[in-house]
């Protein structure tokens, strides 16, 4: 019998069915009646609620999810029995799962992939730190929100690790295409399951397809024995560091993969810095809003990086070419006088006679008219004549014409330099000038036009322009200006202030998780944390296994407080 929706369920109204594919229950989109908030409700199937083992498993899932309090994990608000059914209330996250995004957009730019992977790894590291393995990491279980947030969901297959870092062996659980070789073989679950699956997700995002495709048996065989197709061919623009990291994540032997998810997250964070991806950059949000525009922007950034990398070699080649040309010019100048003298001295006996005939044509008119022309020329050439230096100037210098300076065009001064910007000056254009401190990326109407500069000038159309500068840790600022009648330039000036500091946190013992204002910082004591916004913050350290706050303190972070010492072991 078909279910009638919407319907009441305790304090909720179940609006529509989201999923009926779970082995344990159904998932609904709901609204809390009194609070008015939207939520996701998962209900255990009624016929399963009669079996204590299923109720226990469902409660265990809720307990595992309740341990998670991380920006990159979908949160659980509450759980328990209600109207003779067991339920879990989770936060509602609007967005697209990455599987649907891939179908719509295809392969994702590698810069965006690095930003996504860093956030996925951070969420999984948070789960692993609480001894929970996801076991079904795949694009369908990762949500991309309109604001560019990335969240991992569906820990329904998760299992809790014991103290050795593994869970009880069991049947084949998860989606086969994302399973590691040892997971296919059904061995006990470890962190390495999720690490391998993250590598497959990375491969799929970069290449636009899975590394291993086919039927169940075929995929299992390939996972066990075949290397994935070279990622360099599927995504030739991906940097070698990223390609090597993905290969390590997907290594056949778990010992060849990174040991922990925190190591993966650290490598991705370092790679993001290498690629120039700033923590303050809203790359993911801009990519979600306009994928095509961000793809063009990133392509422009890549060309700029290649040009900067090649610049030293190009300068060296230019220097060598200039040196070769200069040496060739000097050599030719040194050889020129000797060459002229040799040419004039060759067969000197013939020179006067020929020159005499050419220089004295009047002798031809005195010859008898009846004589043969050839004999007459020969006779004239044989006749004795005196050849003077004036007739044949052997050492005469070549005449070089005096330089002539063309008159300046009417209305201009010949000596006045003309600025490049005025060459295209017109009533429909003006000069856009941007001054910014410190060096920042400059955007005109959302398009990157310069990277890491303090000054930018370009002639543009006469209209309203919006300028955004991104100074990384120094923040992002925007100005919008409209030119007035008669304005020949539009000037923008920015003075950015970092507004951040840093702390170095120590605790009563090493290995405690560091939280700032209740947010996990992906670091354990003792460790530096930067950047931290200027202001008053509550810093505490917690036991990873129990989540208990071991020590806490309120500190004031100032802009110049770089790695301010916060020793939480004092007084404990």
């Amino acid at each position: 019998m078909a279910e009638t929706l919407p319907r009441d369920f305790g304090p909720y109204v179940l609006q529509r069915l989201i999923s009926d594919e779970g082995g344990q229950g159904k998932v609904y989109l709901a609204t809390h009646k009194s609070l008015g908030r939207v939520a996701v409700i998962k209900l255990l199937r009624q016929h399963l609620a009669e079996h204590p083992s299923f109720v226990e498993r469902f409660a265990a899932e809720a307990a595992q999810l309740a341990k998670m309090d991380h920006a990159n994990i979908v949160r659980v608000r509450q759980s328990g029995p209600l109207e003779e059914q067991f339920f879990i209330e989770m936060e509602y996250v609007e967005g697209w799962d990455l599987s649907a995004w891939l179908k719509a957009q295809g392969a994702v730019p590698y810069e965006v992939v690095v930003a996504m992977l860093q956030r996925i790894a951070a969420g999984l590291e948070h789960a692993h730190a609480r001894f929970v393995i996801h076991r079904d990491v795949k694009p369908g279980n990762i949500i991309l929100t309109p604001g560019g947030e990335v969240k991992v969901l569906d820990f329904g297959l998760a299992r809790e690790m014991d103290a050795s870092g593994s869970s009880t062996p069991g049947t084949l659980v998860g989606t086969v295409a994302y399973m590691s070789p040892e997971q296919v073989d059904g061995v006990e679950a470890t962190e390495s399951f999720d690490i391998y699956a993250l590598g497959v997700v990375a491969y799929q995002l970069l290449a636009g397809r899975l590394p291993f495709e086919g039927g169940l048996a075929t995929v299992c065989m390939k996972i066990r024995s075949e290397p994935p197709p070279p990622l360099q061919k599927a995504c030739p623009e991906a940097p070698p560091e990223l390609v090597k990291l993905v290969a390590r994540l997907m290594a056949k032997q778990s010992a060849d993969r990174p040991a922990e998810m925190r190591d993966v997250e650290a490598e991705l964070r370092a790679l993001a810095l290498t690629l120039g991806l700033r923590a303050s950059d809203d790359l993911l949000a801009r990519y979600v809003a306009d994928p095509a525009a961000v793809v063009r922007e990133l392509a422009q950034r890549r060309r700029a990086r290649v040009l900067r990398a090649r610049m030293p070699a190009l300068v060296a080649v230019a220097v060598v070419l200039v040196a070769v040309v200069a040496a060739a010019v000097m050599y030719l100048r040194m050889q020129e006088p000797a060459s002229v003298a040799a040419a004039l001295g060759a067969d000197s006996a013939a020179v006067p006679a020929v020159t005499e005939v050419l220089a004295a044509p009047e002798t031809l008119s005195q010859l008898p008219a009846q004589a043969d022309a050839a004999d007459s020329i020969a006779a004239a050439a044989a006749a004795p004549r005196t050849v003077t230096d004036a007739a044949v100037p052997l050492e005469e210098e070549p005449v070089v014409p005096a330089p002539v300076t063309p008159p300046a065009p009417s209305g201009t001064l010949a000596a006045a330099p003309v600025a490049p910007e005025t060459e295209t000056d017109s009533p429909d254009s003006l000069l856009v000038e941007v001054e910014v401190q410190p060096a920042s990326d400059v955007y005109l109407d959302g398009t990157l036009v310069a990277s890491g500069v303090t000054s930018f000038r370009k002639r543009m159309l006469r209209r309203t322009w919006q300028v955004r500068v991104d100074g990384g840790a120094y923040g992002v600022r925007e100005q919008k200006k409209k030119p007035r009648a008669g304005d020949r330039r539009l000037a923008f000036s920015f003075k950015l202030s970092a507004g951040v500091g840093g702390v170095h946190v120590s605790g009563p013992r090493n290995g405690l998780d560091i939280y700032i204002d209740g947010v996990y910082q992906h670091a354990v004591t003792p460790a530096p944390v930067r950047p931290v916004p200027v202001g008053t913050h509550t810093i505490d350290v917690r036991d990873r296994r129990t989540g208990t706050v071991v020590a806490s303190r309120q500190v004031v972070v100032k802009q110049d407080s770089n790695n301010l010492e916060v020793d939480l072991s004092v007084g404990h």
Side-chain angles (χ1 to χ4, degrees):
M1 181 178 178
E3 184 178 13
T4 302
L5 293 175
R7 69 179 178 88
D8 289 344
F9 177 69
Y12 307 97
V13 176
L14 304 184
Q15 302 287 355
R16 62 179 176 87
L17 183 66
I18 296 177
S19 172
D20 191 13
E21 299 175 357
Q24 297 182 33
K26 295 182 179 181
V27 181
Y28 297 87
L29 179 66
T31 304
H32 196 286
K33 296 177 184 177
S34 60
L35 300 179
R37 71 185 180 196
V38 180
V40 173
I41 300 295
K42 185 172 183 177
L43 296 180
L44 180 65
R45 296 184 184 276
Q46 288 186 341
H47 71 279
L48 295 179
E50 300 173 359
H51 299 276
S53 61
F54 283 104
V55 174
E56 182 180 351
R57 181 177 175 182
F58 194 78
E61 177 186 343
Q64 290 162 6
L65 289 170
K67 295 178 181 179
M68 315 299 176
D69 183 15
H70 193 275
N72 300 117
I73 293 178
V74 175
R75 292 181 175 87
V76 167
R77 291 179 177 144
Q78 58 180 320
S79 62
L82 181 63
E83 295 186 358
E84 299 182 352
Q85 285 187 272
F86 289 86
F87 81 102
I88 300 175
E89 180 195 350
M90 295 173 284
E91 68 170 325
Y92 171 68
V93 179
E94 184 179 0
W96 308 265
D97 66 67
L98 289 186
S99 179
W101 187 269
L102 276 169
K103 290 178 182 178
Q105 300 294 333
V108 179
Y110 69 79
E111 297 92 341
V112 178
V113 171
V114 170
M116 288 180 175
L117 293 176
Q118 188 178 353
R119 288 157 176 79
I120 298 168
L124 292 173
E125 194 276 330
H126 181 82
H128 292 178
R130 280 136 192 87
F131 302 95
V132 175
I133 310 168
H134 191 288
R135 301 210 305 176
D136 196 23
V137 176
K138 60 183 180 182
N141 283 337
I142 301 166
I143 296 294
L144 181 62
T145 73
E149 297 175 329
V150 179
K151 291 180 178 285
V152 182
L153 70 154
D154 198 358
F155 280 77
L157 297 178
R159 290 293 179 273
E160 188 167 6
M161 293 181 287
D162 59 25
S164 66
S166 63
S167 67
T168 305
T171 57
L172 195 64
V173 179
T175 305
V176 174
Y178 303 88
M179 289 184 180
S180 63
E182 64 271 21
Q183 189 174 2
V184 169
D185 291 335
V187 302
E188 64 270 11
T190 66
E191 287 187 55
S192 201
F193 280 23
D194 292 348
I195 291 174
Y196 181 93
L198 184 63
V200 179
V201 171
Y203 189 106
Q204 188 175 7
L205 291 174
L206 291 166
R209 59 180 176 82
L210 285 165
F212 302 119
E213 298 177 321
L216 177 62
T218 301
V219 171
C220 288
M221 183 271 294
K222 290 180 178 180
I223 289 174
R224 288 190 182 102
S225 59
E226 293 185 11
L231 184 56
Q232 300 94 319
K233 292 184 179 180
C235 184
E237 65 273 12
E241 300 90 343
L242 179 57
V243 173
K244 291 178 182 177
L245 176 58
V246 174
R248 287 175 51 228
L249 296 177
M250 295 180 61
K252 298 295 183 187
Q253 300 297 323
S254 60
D256 296 329
R257 301 173 205 146
E260 297 181 340
M261 191 62 76
R262 70 169 61 192
D263 299 328
V264 178
E265 199 268 339
E267 288 192 46
L268 288 167
R269 186 167 59 247
L271 181 57
L273 292 175
T274 301
L275 297 176
L277 303 178
R278 299 180 175 90
S280 64
D281 194 359
D282 56 350
L283 176 63
L284 286 178
R286 290 188 290 111
Y287 175 67
V288 174
D290 193 345
V294 171
V295 168
R296 291 193 298 270
E297 174 192 327
L298 294 176
Q300 184 178 355
R301 285 189 184 183
R302 293 171 197 164
R303 288 193 294 269
R305 281 199 298 269
V306 170
L307 184 60
R308 285 196 296 268
R310 293 178 178 176
M311 190 60 69
L314 294 175
V315 171
V317 171
V319 170
V320 171
L321 289 176
V322 170
V324 170
V325 171
V329 171
M330 292 179 63
Y331 176 79
L332 292 176
R333 286 181 176 176
M334 292 174 63
Q335 296 297 318
E336 189 176 73
S339 300
V340 173
L344 293 176
D347 199 8
S348 58
V351 173
V354 176
T355 307
E356 179 185 358
V357 174
L358 297 175
E362 66 277 5
T363 58
L364 297 178
S365 62
Q366 299 172 1
L367 296 178
Q370 69 275 17
D372 182 79
D375 294 339
S376 301
I377 294 174
R385 282 182 63 86
T386 302
V387 181
T388 65
D389 291 341
V392 185
L394 295 178
E395 300 298 331
E396 181 180 7
E397 291 292 330
V399 178
V400 179
V404 178
T405 303
S410 176
T412 65
L413 296 176
V418 180
E421 291 80 2
T422 63
E423 294 176 357
T424 58
D425 193 5
S426 73
D428 297 326
S429 68
L430 51 69
L431 190 62
V432 175
E433 298 180 342
V434 181
E435 301 292 336
V436 55
Q437 288 292 339
S440 306
D441 293 347
V442 178
Y443 296 79
L444 288 183
D445 284 356
T447 301
L448 179 69
V449 294
S451 298
V453 300
T454 58
S455 179
F456 170 82
R457 296 182 181 183
K458 189 172 183 180
R459 185 159 293 282
M460 308 296 290
L461 290 176
R462 175 180 291 275
R463 64 176 179 83
T464 301
W465 286 97
Q466 184 169 3
V467 174
R468 177 162 60 94
V469 294
D470 185 350
Y474 290 85
V476 178
R477 298 290 186 275
E478 288 186 0
Q479 292 182 16
K480 189 174 184 179
K481 291 187 178 181
K482 180 179 180 179
R484 296 170 297 183
D487 283 351
R488 299 175 62 88
R489 68 188 187 99
L490 207 57
F492 298 83
S493 180
F494 300 87
K495 182 70 173 179
L496 305 184
S497 175
V500 296
V503 296
H504 187 280
V505 183
S506 302
R509 63 179 186 273
N510 293 345
L512 296 173
D513 287 345
I514 300 173
Y515 283 73
I516 297 181
D517 297 331
V519 178
Y520 178 54
Q521 300 300 309
H522 313 298
V524 296
T525 55
V529 181
R530 182 175 178 85
V532 179
V534 169
T536 302
H537 300 278
T538 300
I539 300 179
D540 59 72
V541 291
R542 306 183 187 183
D543 184 277
R544 167 167 297 185
R545 191 184 236 327
T546 64
T548 305
V549 176
V550 177
S552 179
R553 178 173 302 164
Q554 201 170 65
V555 300
V556 177
V557 177
K558 298 181 179 179
Q559 186 162 324
D560 57 352
S561 60
N562 186 15
N563 290 344
L564 172 70
E565 287 292 338
V566 180
D567 188 356
L568 297 180
S569 62
V570 178
H572 294 276

